[in-house]
Amino acid sequence: MKIIALGSGGWIPTSAKETSCFLIDSGESLIILDTGTGISRLEGYVDLLNKYEEIHIIYSHYHLDHIIGLCYIGNWAKGKVINIYGPGNNLINRACKDIMTTFLSPPYFISVESIGKRVNFIDYDLNGFQIGNIKINITEQIHTGKSYGITVGNYLHYATDTALSEETFRAAKDVKLLLHDCWSMVNVNSMDHTSLQDIIDLQSRFQVERVGLIHTNPNWKDADLLNIKNTISEKGSIVFVEDEMVFLF
Ligand SMILES: [Zn+2]
Ligand SMILES: [Zn+2]
């Protein structure tokens, strides 16, 4: 399993970091977690894309910094079947198909048909679902307008856009990598995002093997980044995720 960070930044793309998008090559399936502006980095992975006829996209939620890149994907996916999984009727009282079809229709974009050979929409719920032989589990998070954690087999738990939640760390207990939202150095009681201080506390309490900090704050300056990197450098088990970083399992 190969996980590539196409977009590791939060909210606003910067020259170094595009917004949320992670590409997973399981060897059997190609999965994309969220389609932020990071999807533009697919240009560097055309050989990988060419191995697959089908792309599976899973959404954590529908905030624009996580979906905007779906209108770019046709540039690389025109001949492919695209399966889109997102929270739907059971969780947020609106179907994924309805939300994303609206987003891709005029006056915002051309049409949903323009992005791939065929586009299928699947509402997920807290029972999770299966992509080939990989079990996808879904966990509730704490975020304005709701967001969901996504567990990919025994490898990855993706927890973008969430305030601190023990449920997230419980879900990540047995995976190799937890990719976790990190928005501030210390706890500021945010109802949307998490601090590094809280991540360090819960990682040791729940003994999560490895944590990657993602959806990082676009307003951080060099001094903030240095402070963060110094804080985590003693802990080999926490990594500041940069775009194009690759995790291999
Ligand atoms: Zn976000
Ligand atoms: Zn959000």
Side-chain angles (χ1 to χ4, degrees), residues 61 63 65-66 143-144 161 193 215:
H61 65 316
H63 280 166
D65 53 319
H66 298 257
H143 192 60
T144 303
D161 293 62
H193 298 291
H215 203 273

Side-chain angles (χ1 to χ4, degrees), residues 9-11 19-20 34 60-61 63-66 143 160-161 181 183 193 215:
W11 187 19
T19 69
S20 298
D34 285 343
S60 60
H61 65 316
H63 280 166
L64 280 173
D65 53 319
H66 298 257
H143 192 60
T160 187
D161 293 62
D181 171 295
W183 197 253
H193 298 291
H215 203 273

Side-chain angles (χ1 to χ4, degrees), residues 185-186 196 220-234 240:
M185 272 303 284
V186 295
L196 177 58
W220 277 336
K221 305 283 180 265
D222 288 350
D224 302 308
L225 296 173
L226 195 63
N227 190 6
I228 288 163
K229 287 173 184 172
N230 285 338
T231 306
I232 61 177
S233 67
E234 309 131 31
F240 186 87

Side-chain angles (χ1 to χ4, degrees), residues 10-240:
W11 187 19
I12 304 169
T14 66
S15 56
K17 280 174 166 264
E18 301 284 356
T19 69
S20 298
C21 188
F22 294 84
L23 182 63
I24 300 172
D25 178 11
S26 79
E28 275 198 347
S29 307
L30 190 71
I31 300 172
I32 297 176
L33 304 178
D34 285 343
T35 58
T37 62
I39 204 117
S40 60
R41 296 194 190 278
L42 277 182
E43 185 58 31
Y45 302 92
V46 171
D47 288 350
L48 177 53
L49 281 171
N50 285 343
K51 280 169 48 189
Y52 294 95
E53 301 283 305
E54 221 173 340
I55 301 176
H56 301 274
I57 296 172
I58 312 174
Y59 284 112
S60 60
H61 65 316
Y62 300 109
H63 280 166
L64 280 173
D65 53 319
H66 298 257
I67 67 168
I68 189 79
L70 194 62
C71 68
Y72 316 147
I73 203 170
N75 194 43
W76 303 280
K78 276 232 156 55
K80 299 185 193 298
V81 173
I82 304 177
N83 299 313
I84 298 177
Y85 309 78
N89 274 319
N90 285 339
L91 294 173
I92 57 167
N93 295 319
R94 197 172 163 194
C96 171
K97 181 175 185 176
D98 180 32
I99 294 167
M100 296 311 287
T101 302
T102 303
F103 169 64
L104 291 170
S105 298
Y108 309 110
F109 194 59
I110 301 162
S111 71
V112 67
E113 291 80 20
S114 68
I115 66 169
K117 184 165 84 180
R118 198 170 71 244
V119 186
N120 302 311
F121 294 92
I122 303 106
D123 284 0
Y124 66 55
D125 59 29
L126 298 179
N127 294 317
F129 54 97
Q130 201 82 26
I131 293 177
N133 58 5
I134 301 172
K135 178 77 204 299
I136 308 293
N137 284 320
I138 300 297
T139 314
E140 280 186 310
Q141 300 186 150
I142 304 162
H143 192 60
T144 303
K146 290 192 178 176
S147 68
Y148 295 88
I150 301 162
T151 316
V152 181
N154 300 320
Y155 301 99
L156 170 70
H157 184 79
Y158 174 66
T160 187
D161 293 62
T162 180
L164 189 71
S165 159
E166 290 196 355
E167 205 181 336
T168 292
F169 284 79
R170 218 168 278 127
K173 221 177 157 329
D174 298 318
V175 299
K176 301 199 176 306
L177 176 68
L178 165 62
L179 290 175
H180 201 292
D181 171 295
C182 184
W183 197 253
S184 58
M185 272 303 284
V186 295
N187 186 351
V188 291
N189 291 319
S190 167
M191 289 309 291
D192 284 306
H193 298 291
T194 306
S195 72
L196 177 58
Q197 182 190 40
D198 283 334
I199 291 169
I200 291 171
D201 282 354
L202 264 77
Q203 185 205 12
S204 82
R205 190 135 65 85
F206 286 86
Q207 303 198 319
V208 173
E209 193 174 322
R210 197 166 182 213
V211 180
L213 306 178
I214 58 161
H215 203 273
T216 49
N217 194 322
N219 294 312
W220 277 336
K221 305 283 180 265
D222 288 350
D224 302 308
L225 296 173
L226 195 63
N227 190 6
I228 288 163
K229 287 173 184 172
N230 285 338
T231 306
I232 61 177
S233 67
E234 309 131 31
K235 312 188 155 289
S237 56
I238 301 183
V239 55
F240 186 87

